């Protein structure tokens, strides 16, 4: 490599002699001209300031004053280089390490993943709740409330008409036969499931079958009494057992034979205790005496675990969504087909055709996206079937269909949070002076888990669980500030959390201190649920805002990007609902915080709000005012917000604002301004950014020159993952671990020239030369991975020839490759060094150099023979 360079005519003094770093002898000086052949004015000014351009008179002056002046100039050069190196550090480096990598790449990846959970760009729920909550669809009166009132159904017989309809539409869950066999054998079944999953329908269906079988398949006589009864839950298991024992000695004993009882127990109220094993055994014995059956329905959770773990306990899985929807559709359409056949037999539509059209409509992308739920519960399947049938029968418009579909997730969220703490504000019958309200933490934990999952969906299960406990504390203290919340330490049930929150666990990976490790990730089973939960909490439960805001501020201090970045995006979604409140409680306090992570949190929150057209103008004005007149902290936050590309009207406006921040106060915030200039290069308008950077390097003011040079060096040391946005189909997406300039050079050839010009300027400017040379070394080493596999070689092959187009540039490259080869800690293999050298040399020059080498070898052979 070096021999060929010398054979091409390079002077002996230009050849590197050791790997001790640049020196005046070893580092070839550039000729001082830009790519157009013009004198580089910025470099000329540097030479004048650094004492390099004094001319013959300065070189001839050897007195003591000149030596002192030269020494002072050398010290000033070192100070300038040190300041320049400080400006190229990561914005978070001061909080995490001195010079090591930060978590900006992990934060960027987390932001991209989190934004996919929200339908950014429109309202969180674009439907009129007051209209769609109760609507008539043809002959069907449709109730959109997920929570149905249980008034009038607490006790009493189940009508035969309801049982007949249940036989027709009930969809058996997995393991239904096993449940029926257990009930037949034991007379008593404790059935555990999440509310809304069809557990009561399953209980009634089981009782209908076993009681009919106990009667030999015959229906009871009217005088014999009801066959299936609902039991008032206030009396509980003991009251039911007492009534059966009392009936054994009374006149109505025959009427209680082969009767089924369904009892729904609520164990979530403070002070509520589950029945013990002796109570259940006594009830089972009484049922056996009367040949009766009973199903006790409970919600899964820590309170119900002892019941479900006992001899009578079994879990009830939800019914399959496809079967539920098909059954409900058939029920809706059969009546219409029968009515049409009676009116016009020849023109009556076929049921199979209507069912096929309904299934096709349900599978459309817009409809399934509007539903936003992976699994449908019976009530939701009934609502969706009514909407689909109504649209096919031209009773519901397409817009009404989509609005109704979106209401399903909102209905679920409303059910989850409606009246959760009503029992806490009810009149207390405790002895006077006892003001404690036990069980607040247990009561609030399910809702806290749902909120935490809406904010941190996609994070590790442990992170969400920890955040949920933190929010449980905040909710408990807000509800009962005079008492310290107490929560049992060994009563968590992860499976119950999943069931009660419609969540799922998946295997994935998370970033831990810059390394990816395996983890269990948790998500809602439906893309519509995170937004629906946040909307429900923020819009309909105002007192909850205060503890949620305190909780989000705590999450802003979490050092894990998977936590604080997700919380920042979710905070932006909340601010869209009420920007005035969000600005006062979240954005402004965090934007003025002393820690950099909190300010990035505020910047991300503002950018998320700016994604909505309704808030974009306000956010842009706010960020613009901060960049002009804000305090030091506000300007820093504004710079981070500008780097996302949404907080100014145009790219030029964004660059103007970043320049204002970067050059102010002697470049006090040059590091954060330059970093966000580089972030803009991942956006489509990167050519405009590169041109502005080149313009800054040629500016007459040194502050602007430094901004352009620092941005150039930072560009060279920035990976794609640190700055990649969320634009779909980005060519940079599969090059996350590539240095950004090499990824741009490989994917956008038109950027190679501007990139090379900027890097050339940084390499030939004294105050930036050292860090630029180190950055170039990093780029060169990334061509091949440690295991020998190709990495960024296509990008190096595109950029390096443009960067080493002149003889002086090649001498610098030759010196740098030699230094890398002689690095005592990480020597570059000779083969890789030669490969990089040939990438930089054009094909024509390669031929000339090979010819020169052959001639030199011939001369050497002749000399040896002579």
């Amino acid at each position: 490599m070096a021999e060929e360079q010398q054979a091409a005519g390079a002077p002996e003094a230009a050849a590197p002699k050791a790997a001790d770093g640049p020196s005046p002898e070893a580092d070839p000086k550039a000729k001082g001209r830009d790519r157009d052949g013009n004198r580089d004015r910025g470099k000329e000014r540097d030479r004048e300031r650094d004492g390099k351009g004094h001319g013959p008179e300065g070189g001839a002056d050897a007195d003591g004053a000149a030596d002192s002046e030269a020494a002072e100039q050398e010290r000033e050069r070192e100070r300038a280089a040190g300041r320049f190196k400080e400006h190229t550090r990561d914005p978070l480096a001061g909080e995490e390490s001195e010079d090591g990598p930060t978590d900006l790449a992990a934060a960027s990846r987390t932001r991209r993943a989190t934004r996919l959970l929200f339908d950014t760009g429109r309202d969180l729920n674009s439907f009129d709740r007051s209209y769609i909550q109760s609507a008539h669809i043809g002959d069907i009166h449709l109730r959109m409330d997920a929570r149905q009132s249980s008034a009038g159904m607490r006790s009493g017989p189940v009508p035969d008409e309801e049982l007949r309809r249940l036989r027709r539409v009930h969809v058996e869950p997995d393991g239904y036969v096993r449940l029926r066999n257990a009930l037949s054998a034991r007379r008593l079944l404790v059935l555990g499931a999440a509310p809304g999953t069809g557990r009561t329908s399953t209980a009634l269906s089981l009782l209908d079958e076993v009681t009919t079988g106990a009667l030999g398949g015959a229906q009871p006589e009217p005088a014999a009494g009801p066959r299936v009864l609902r039991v008032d839950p206030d009396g509980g298991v003991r009251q039911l057992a007492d009534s059966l024992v009392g009936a054994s000695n009374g006149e109505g004993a025959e009427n209680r034979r082969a009767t089924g009882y369904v009892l729904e127990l609520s164990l979530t109220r403070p002070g509520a205790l589950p029945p013990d094993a002796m109570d259940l055994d006594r009830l089972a014995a009484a049922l056996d005496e009367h040949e009766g059956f009973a199903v006790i329905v409970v919600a899964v959770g820590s309170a119900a675990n002892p019941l479900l773990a006992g001899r009578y306990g079994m879990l009830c899985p939800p019914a399959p969504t496809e079967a539920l929807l098909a059954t409900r559709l058939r029920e809706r359409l059969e009546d219409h087909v029968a009515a049409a056949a009676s009116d016009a037999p020849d023109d009556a539509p076929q049921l199979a055709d209507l069912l096929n059209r309904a299934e096709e409509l349900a599978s459309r992308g817009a409809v399934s996206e509007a539903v936003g739920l992976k699994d449908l519960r019976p009530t939701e399947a009934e609502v969706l079937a009514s909407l689909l049938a109504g649209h096919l029968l031209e009773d519901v418009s397409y817009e009404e269909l989509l609005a109704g579909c979106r209401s399903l997730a909102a209905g679920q969220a409303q059910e989850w949070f409606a009246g959760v703490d009503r029992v806490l504000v009810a009149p207390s019958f405790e002895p006077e002076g006892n003001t404690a309200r036990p069980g607040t933490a247990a009561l609030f934990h399910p809702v806290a888990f749902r909120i935490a999952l809406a904010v941190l969906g996609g994070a590790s299960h442990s992170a969400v669980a920890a955040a949920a406990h933190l929010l449980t504390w905040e909710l408990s203290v807000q509800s009962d500030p005079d008492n310290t919340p107490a929560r049992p330490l060994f009563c968590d049930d992860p499976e119950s959390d999943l069931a009660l929150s419609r969540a799922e666990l998946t295997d994935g990976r998370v970033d831990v201190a810059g390394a990816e490790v395996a983890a269990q990730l948790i998500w809602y089973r439906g893309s519509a649920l995170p937004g629906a939960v946040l909307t429900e909490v923020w819009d309909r439960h105002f007192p909850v805002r205060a503890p949620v805001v305190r909780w989000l501020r705590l999450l802003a201090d979490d050092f894990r990007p998977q936590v604080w970045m997700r919380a920042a995006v979710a905070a932006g979604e909340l601010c869209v609902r009420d920007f005035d409140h969000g600005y006062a409680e979240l954005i402004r306090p965090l934007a003025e915080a002393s820690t950099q992570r909190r300010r990035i949190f505020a910047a991300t929150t503002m950018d998320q709000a700016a994604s909505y057209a309704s808030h974009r103008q306000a956010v842009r004005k706010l960020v613009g005012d901060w960049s002009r007149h804000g305090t030091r902290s506000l300007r820093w936050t504004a710079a981070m917000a500008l780097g996302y590309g949404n907080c100014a009207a145009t790219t030029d406006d964004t660059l103007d604002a970043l320049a204002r921040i970067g050059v102010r106060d002697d470049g006090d915030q040059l590091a954060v301004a330059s970093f966000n200039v580089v972030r803009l290069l991942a956006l489509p308008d990167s050519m405009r950014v590169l041109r502005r950077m080149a313009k800054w390097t040629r500016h007459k003011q040194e502050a602007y020159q430094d901004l352009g040079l620092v941005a150039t060096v930072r560009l060279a040391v920035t990976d794609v993952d640190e700055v990649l946005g969320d634009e779909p189909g980005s060519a940079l997406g599969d090059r996350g671990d590539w240095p950004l300039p090499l990824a741009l050079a490989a994917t956008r050839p038109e950027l190679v020239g501007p990139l090379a010009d900027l890097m050339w300027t940084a390499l030939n400017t004294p105050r930036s030369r050292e860090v630029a040379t180190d950055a170039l070394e990093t780029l060169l080493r990334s061509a091949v991975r440690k295991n020998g596999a190709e990495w960024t070689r296509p990008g190096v092959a595109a950029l390096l020839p443009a960067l080493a187009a002149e003889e002086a540039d090649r001498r610098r490259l030759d010196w740098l490759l030699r230094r890398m080869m002689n690095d005592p800690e990480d020597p570059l293999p000779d083969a890789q060094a030669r490969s990089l050298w040939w990438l930089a040399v054009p094909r024509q020059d390669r031929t000339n150099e090979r010819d020169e080498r052959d001639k030199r070898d011939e001369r050497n052979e002749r000399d040896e023979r002579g």
Side-chain angles (χ1 to χ4, degrees):
M1 177 181 60
E3 291 82 2
E4 288 87 337
Q5 185 69 30
Q6 295 175 22
E12 287 291 332
K17 295 179 290 185
D20 297 329
S23 65
E25 294 80 18
D27 191 3
K29 298 298 183 288
K31 298 181 179 179
R33 297 184 179 274
D34 59 20
R35 298 293 175 176
D36 299 325
N38 301 318
R39 175 68 64 178
D40 187 337
R41 293 175 295 172
K43 185 178 187 318
E44 188 175 12
R45 283 192 299 271
D46 282 328
R47 291 194 175 198
E48 293 173 358
R49 188 188 64 214
D50 296 343
K52 294 288 186 179
H54 293 294
E57 295 79 6
D61 191 355
D63 58 13
D67 292 340
S68 176
E69 181 180 358
E72 179 61 29
Q73 290 173 350
E74 182 63 27
R75 287 192 294 269
E76 177 59 29
R77 282 197 302 272
E78 293 176 356
R79 288 192 293 267
R83 290 193 300 268
F84 193 92
K85 186 174 183 179
E86 183 69 20
H87 290 322
T88 59
R89 298 178 63 202
D90 285 338
L92 284 180
E95 293 187 354
E96 299 185 7
S97 62
E98 190 66 25
D99 293 308
T102 62
D103 288 332
L104 289 174
S108 179
R109 287 191 294 269
T110 301
R111 174 179 173 270
R112 294 196 298 273
T114 306
R115 283 170 62 88
L116 296 177
L117 298 178
F118 301 103
D119 191 1
T120 303
R122 65 168 174 85
D123 291 336
L124 290 177
N125 292 288
S126 57
F127 66 91
D128 186 350
R129 186 190 296 265
S130 62
Y131 167 75
I132 202 66
Q133 188 174 10
S134 177
H136 284 279
I137 301 176
D139 297 331
I140 304 169
H141 183 65
L142 178 64
R143 293 291 302 174
M144 299 299 293
D145 293 328
R147 178 184 293 272
Q148 298 181 355
S149 175
S150 59
M153 298 187 296
R154 295 175 65 84
S155 62
V158 178
D160 290 339
E161 180 183 354
E162 182 176 343
L163 293 176
R164 285 194 297 269
R165 180 181 181 273
L166 187 63
R167 295 189 203 105
R168 185 175 65 163
V169 303
H170 181 257
V171 177
E172 297 179 355
D174 294 337
Y176 180 83
V177 175
R178 186 168 56 90
L179 296 175
R180 185 181 60 199
N181 294 337
L183 179 59
S184 299
R186 301 170 187 166
R187 300 285 180 176
L188 177 61
L189 178 66
V190 178
L191 192 63
T197 56
R199 55 185 186 168
T200 303
S201 298
T202 299
L204 291 174
S205 178
L206 289 169
L207 291 172
D208 181 41
E209 289 192 34
V210 296
T211 55
T212 301
L215 294 171
Q219 295 295 326
E221 297 292 335
R227 186 160 49 88
V228 180
L229 287 159
R230 290 188 178 92
V231 180
D232 190 342
D234 289 341
V237 172
R238 291 183 179 181
Q239 181 173 330
L240 177 58
D242 291 341
S243 67
L244 289 173
V245 172
S248 299
N249 303 321
E251 297 179 355
E254 183 63 26
N255 294 340
R256 306 296 289 269
R257 177 178 175 271
T259 301
Y261 305 90
V262 59
L263 173 61
E264 296 189 43
L265 288 183
S266 176
L267 303 176
T268 59
R269 294 176 299 176
L273 297 175
D276 56 29
M278 294 182 62
D279 293 331
L280 296 178
D281 289 338
R282 182 168 179 264
L283 176 59
L287 290 168
D288 186 62
E289 183 177 350
H290 289 273
E291 300 181 16
F293 305 89
V295 178
I296 302 175
V297 179
V298 296
V300 292
S302 58
N305 284 344
L307 289 175
L308 297 176
R311 68 173 64 93
Y312 303 104
M314 297 186 73
L315 291 175
C316 179
T321 296
E322 295 78 7
L324 273 175
L325 185 58
T327 302
R328 299 300 191 269
L329 278 172
R330 179 176 293 275
E331 180 189 17
R332 295 289 184 272
L333 296 174
E334 277 179 347
D335 295 339
H336 173 76
V337 171
S342 61
D343 295 339
D346 296 335
D347 297 332
Q350 296 297 318
L351 178 61
D353 181 58
L354 286 176
L355 287 174
N356 290 334
R357 289 170 56 193
E359 292 176 0
E360 180 184 357
L361 179 62
S363 62
R364 287 185 186 177
V367 174
S368 59
E369 181 182 357
V371 172
L373 299 171
K374 286 187 177 181
D375 304 313
L376 293 179
R377 296 182 172 182
T379 302
E380 296 161 351
E382 188 170 352
V383 170
L384 180 57
S386 299
L387 291 168
L388 294 171
H391 181 66
L392 291 177
L393 302 178
E394 299 182 354
D395 293 329
V396 176
S397 68
Y398 190 66
E399 290 73 18
E400 290 173 332
L401 168 64
L402 296 181
C405 291
R406 295 189 187 104
S407 70
L408 295 177
Q412 173 66 96
Q414 184 177 356
E415 176 190 346
W416 277 341
F417 297 98
V420 170
D421 57 350
R422 186 178 293 116
V423 66
L424 296 179
V425 298
S428 176
F429 299 99
E430 297 292 334
E432 186 175 355
N434 184 7
T435 60
R437 295 185 291 183
T440 55
L443 181 68
F444 286 126
H445 179 70
V447 295
F449 191 88
R450 292 161 187 154
I451 297 173
L453 184 56
V455 171
L456 303 179
S460 64
H461 180 244
S462 60
V464 175
H469 281 288
L470 193 62
L471 181 56
T472 299
W473 175 277
E474 294 292 342
L475 294 174
S476 301
V477 170
Q478 183 77 15
S479 177
D480 190 9
D482 295 331
N483 296 282
T484 301
R487 177 159 178 79
L489 300 180
F490 298 97
C491 289
D492 275 0
D493 185 357
E495 293 183 0
S496 298
D497 288 339
L498 296 179
L500 293 175
S501 301
R502 302 182 74 164
E504 63 179 343
L505 292 175
T506 60
D507 293 331
R509 304 185 71 81
V510 296
D511 286 283
V512 177
E516 284 193 347
V517 296
Q520 276 195 319
L521 310 183
I522 185 169
W523 312 78
Y524 270 117
R525 290 188 61 81
S527 59
L529 286 173
V533 167
L534 295 182
T535 300
E536 176 69 20
V537 170
W538 208 247
D539 289 355
R540 295 171 61 88
H541 305 282
F542 188 86
V544 180
R545 290 189 180 186
V548 168
V549 165
R550 293 195 300 269
W551 175 67
L552 288 173
R553 291 181 181 179
L554 292 175
L555 296 186
D557 294 326
D558 196 297
F559 66 91
R560 294 169 295 181
Q562 64 163 326
V563 174
W564 69 264
M565 180 55 77
R566 282 186 167 86
V569 174
E573 293 291 315
L574 294 178
C575 288
V576 171
R577 312 303 307 181
D578 187 350
F579 192 78
D580 175 62
H581 186 86
Y583 174 77
E585 298 295 330
L586 280 172
I587 294 178
R588 183 62 184 251
L590 295 179
E592 293 183 312
S594 59
T595 61
Q596 295 170 339
R597 187 177 291 108
R598 281 197 163 200
R599 297 201 291 265
I600 298 178
F601 188 103
T604 305
T605 299
M606 285 194 296
D607 171 73
Q608 188 69 13
S611 301
Y612 293 82
S614 57
H615 293 73
R616 191 169 298 140
Q617 192 63 32
V619 173
R620 288 175 175 175
K621 184 180 185 304
L622 180 66
V623 173
D625 290 344
W626 286 359
S627 70
R628 292 182 177 87
H629 316 297
T631 62
R632 184 179 185 278
S633 296
L634 292 180
R635 295 198 309 273
W636 199 99
T637 305
M640 290 302 301
L642 289 164
Y644 287 114
N646 295 321
C647 294
T650 65
T651 302
D652 285 333
D653 292 341
T654 302
L655 293 169
D656 289 341
L658 288 172
R660 283 195 300 270
I661 297 171
V663 304
R664 184 172 171 176
D665 297 335
D666 297 327
D668 180 55
Q669 295 187 337
L670 188 57
V672 68
S674 62
F675 172 73
N676 287 284
V677 170
V678 173
R679 292 174 67 194
L680 298 175
L681 288 168
L683 302 178
D685 202 9
S686 51
M687 178 62 81
R688 187 178 297 274
V689 179
L690 291 175
R691 289 172 179 169
R692 179 65 70 90
M693 290 170 60
K695 184 177 180 181
W696 286 334
T697 61
R698 298 191 298 268
H699 201 279
K700 62 182 180 180
Q701 295 184 21
E702 185 176 319
Y704 283 95
Q705 296 174 22
D706 285 343
L707 177 59
L709 292 171
V710 171
T712 300
V713 175
R714 179 168 291 282
L715 164 64
V717 298
T718 298
D719 290 342
V720 172
D721 263 346
E722 297 181 50
V723 297
L724 186 61
D726 54 354
E727 292 75 19
S730 173
L732 302 177
D734 58 348
R735 295 176 172 85
D737 60 346
W738 282 38
L740 181 58
L742 300 182
L744 291 173
T747 57
R748 299 187 60 183
E750 70 276 11
L751 301 181
V752 170
L755 286 169
D757 288 344
L758 285 169
M759 195 66 187
W760 183 88
T761 302
L763 288 167
N764 285 279
T765 303
R767 61 183 182 273
S768 61
R769 179 186 300 143
E770 181 179 351
V771 290
T773 302
D774 293 340
L776 178 59
E777 178 179 343
T778 302
L779 296 181
L780 295 176
R781 287 187 181 275
S782 71
V784 179
R785 299 186 186 274
K786 293 293 185 180
N787 60 5
E790 185 177 277
W791 185 5
T792 66
R793 182 181 175 86
V796 175
L799 183 61
L800 198 54
L803 190 58
E806 299 178 359
E807 186 67 24
D809 303 328
R810 295 184 194 173
R811 287 200 299 270
R812 179 193 299 110
L813 176 62
D814 174 75
W815 171 85
L816 179 58
L817 290 174
R818 281 173 166 260
R819 189 181 80 169
M820 294 164 62
M821 293 169 61
N822 296 324
D823 189 337
E825 296 182 357
D826 187 17
L828 184 70
D830 181 75
Q832 291 186 23
R834 290 185 178 276
S835 176
L836 290 171
W837 172 256
W838 290 122
L839 287 179
V841 179
R843 186 173 301 275
Q844 181 179 359
D845 293 347
R846 296 183 191 181
T847 303
N848 295 336
E849 289 191 5
R850 287 193 181 96
D851 293 341
E852 292 292 337
R853 182 182 58 190
D854 293 340
K855 293 178 180 179
R856 186 187 67 247
D857 292 341
E858 292 178 0
R859 288 196 302 269
N860 291 337
E861 290 178 0
R862 287 197 301 268
D863 293 340
E864 291 176 358
R865 289 194 300 267

